Structure formats: C-alpha cells, structure tokens
Amino acid sequence: MSQREQLASFLRSRREMLSPRDVGLDPGPRRRTPGLRREEVAQLSGVSVTWYTWLEQGRDIGVSRQVLDSLANAMRLTAAERRHLFTLSGTALPTEQPQEITVNPTLQALVRTLAPNPAHVINSCWDLLAYNDAYAELVGGLDNLPEEERNSIWLLFTRPSLRTVLIDWQREAREILGQFRASVGRRPDDPRAGALITALTAASPAFVAMWSEHPVQAFTPAQKQFHHPLAGRVSLNYAKLSVADDLNQHLVVFLPATPEDAVGLERLLRARDPKPSE
C-alpha cells in the first residue's frame, strides 16, 4: 500500500471504531454501517464532506497540520495514534505540550550495569537523560553541570578537552551535527532545539561555521577513537538503540574494539572509583 492508502485505511478504521455517543452525537435511526459516518467526521473536524471523502479514498490532496489536528481531536486519537496520523500524511508534527522527561527505571539500571562500557540515554536534542560513570569519565565529568549543559552537542562544541580526547574531532562533530539537524528537522517548532541552537550560536564560533554548512546525516554504527588521559588510546564501537516506551529516547552504548581497548576502559573506571587500600 502507498502511504496515502495507509492513511486512508487508518482514518477509516478509526472512524468505524467510534460510536456517535463517543463524540456526543445522537445515534438516531439504526445504522447500516459501524461507527461514524463520513459527514459526521467532517462536521466534527470542520472540513467539507467532499474533502474528507477524498482523503479516505487515498487521493493526493493537500493536508495541513491544522486540519490533521482537528481530525485527531474529532476521532479521539491517542498520542501515539496522532503521531502515526502525521507520519502517514508526511507532515511534521506540531510542538506538543512539554512534559516531564523521565527515563524508565529499568533502563537506568541497564545503563549502570553496562559499565565499564560507557553508556547513556539521549533524547532527540541529544540531552543526556541518563549515563553511567564510565561515560561521565570518558567525556570529562557531568554531575556538576547545569541540566541544560548536559547535552552531547553542547559538550562537543564548548568543552575544549574533547577536541583532544576525541581523535578526528572535526569529523565526529560534523557527523553528530548532521544527525542532530535531521532530527530537529522532523520537529521544527521544538522549543528545546531552538534554545540549544541559540545558546550554541552565542557560545561557539565553530558551531556557527559548521551549522551554516547545513550538514545532514543519518545515523550509522561506527567506531570512535579516543586518546584519554586515564584510559589511554582506545577504539570504541558504538550502537544507538530506540527505546520502545519513548521513541524520542535512544540508548547509546560504546563497546571496546579489541581486548586492549577493554583494558583501557577498566583502567578508566578504576581511576574514577579506586578501591580503598587494604
């Protein structure tokens, strides 16, 4: 099925699942078909019956964010269903009401137990929502930073030590910035993204220069090389995994490329938390 056909099928299924009483309408005489009629959905969402009929027929017609919001409200869509509606229509999601960002306690425990392998959880703006001691030590410490500065991109462009710790900083910065631009492009009105870009523009000429080149890049598993004062020179493969209960969150894990790199990570963690002498 084409994307428009999937959109049409999705709308039809949700319309048929609603009863008139669900939306405050009088059911009237016995109905021959389940759910709401097309004209009822059109009335509730403030669009013409013809336009809505064309949409359910999978025709290639213009769909605005305002109209999609109206349809989502009329059909009593859940947050996940609303996001799916926008995805199928090929329309960027409008800014949602800010909600408290939480990380599943089980995921937090997983991040901690992955040590000595550095691991952290980020959102779509690369804010560090959870991290283990190994990752904090790798990037030079995080616990004493203000919350808004616990951000991978902020650290990359404002923490001078990372330019020496990260071998080939220029390439790494361009790749991460390209992924960030692709991510925020899907949520153009996200206030956190706007605030971060504004702060970086004021704080880092390097960010301004690289951002003006409009790098865009998809994530690909790769290897990062570090020259850390405690771990020595280590090569780490990293993976990025989506979190099922919040698709805006991702778990990032760094794994040693060789046994020698694993020894370096052990050395890094021992330096952070040395055992008391016996």
Side-chain angles (χ1 to χ4, degrees):
M1 295 176 70
S2 70
Q3 197 157 328
R4 271 307 166 97
E5 288 172 330
Q6 291 182 59
L7 173 61
S9 179
F10 176 66
L11 287 172
R12 189 161 51 251
S13 71
R14 291 305 177 269
R15 175 173 62 82
E16 292 174 350
M17 289 170 62
L18 283 171
S19 73
R21 288 192 175 88
D22 290 334
V23 295
L25 295 178
D26 182 2
R30 183 170 179 170
R31 297 177 173 235
R32 290 175 297 176
T33 56
L36 296 180
R37 299 186 178 101
R38 285 175 176 171
E39 55 267 27
E40 289 170 334
V41 173
Q43 176 188 347
L44 290 167
S45 37
V47 299
S48 73
V49 177
T50 300
W51 183 90
Y52 179 76
T53 300
W54 286 350
L55 193 61
E56 266 204 18
Q57 290 173 345
R59 298 198 191 188
D60 188 14
I61 57 176
V63 185
S64 70
R65 286 164 58 175
Q66 182 179 1
V67 168
L68 289 173
D69 259 334
S70 296
L71 286 172
N73 292 334
M75 293 186 170
R76 308 297 195 264
L77 298 187
T78 66
E81 289 171 336
R82 180 174 176 272
R83 287 192 293 269
H84 188 58
L85 173 67
F86 275 79
T87 299
L88 290 178
S89 68
T91 306
L93 276 164
T95 302
E96 297 178 349
Q97 285 295 107
Q99 298 180 353
E100 182 182 358
I101 299 174
T102 59
V103 177
N104 185 303
T106 302
L107 181 57
Q108 292 186 32
L110 172 62
V111 169
R112 290 192 297 270
T113 57
L114 284 169
N117 300 315
H120 62 277
V121 177
I122 57 173
N123 61 13
S124 57
C125 288
W126 268 249
D127 292 317
L128 294 162
L129 308 180
Y131 51 86
N132 60 15
D133 288 346
Y135 179 76
E137 193 63 47
L138 185 66
V139 298
L142 295 169
D143 294 346
N144 295 325
L145 291 179
E147 185 177 341
E148 65 273 11
E149 293 184 9
R150 292 181 203 164
N151 177 280
S152 293
I153 300 172
W154 176 263
L155 295 173
L156 194 61
F157 283 94
T158 64
R159 179 165 280 182
S161 61
L162 281 180
R163 289 178 179 255
T164 55
V165 169
L166 255 177
I167 298 174
D168 201 356
W169 177 91
Q170 192 80 12
R171 179 180 63 84
E172 297 288 353
R174 185 177 300 279
E175 287 183 359
I176 290 180
L177 206 57
Q179 295 170 36
F180 173 68
R181 184 182 283 278
S183 176
V184 300
R186 293 189 286 270
R187 305 179 69 87
D189 298 327
D190 186 339
R192 169 56 182 154
L196 178 60
I197 292 168
T198 299
L200 283 164
T201 299
S204 171
F207 171 83
V208 173
M210 200 173 290
W211 187 251
S212 67
E213 297 172 3
H214 291 264
V216 178
Q217 184 167 329
F219 172 82
T220 54
Q223 187 176 99
K224 292 183 185 289
Q225 294 184 319
F226 298 84
H227 193 179
H228 195 276
L230 298 176
R233 183 161 181 152
V234 291
S235 297
L236 303 177
N237 298 317
Y238 74 106
K240 184 177 180 182
L241 309 174
S242 295
V243 177
D245 58 351
D246 186 342
L247 296 180
N248 289 319
Q249 295 182 11
H250 294 85
L251 170 65
V252 181
V253 184
F254 295 81
L255 299 173
T258 68
E260 291 76 18
D261 296 320
V263 172
L265 290 180
E266 292 281 2
R267 190 162 55 242
L268 176 71
L269 206 54
R270 282 200 305 270
R272 178 181 174 94
D273 296 308
K275 293 181 180 179
S277 57
E278 297 180 1

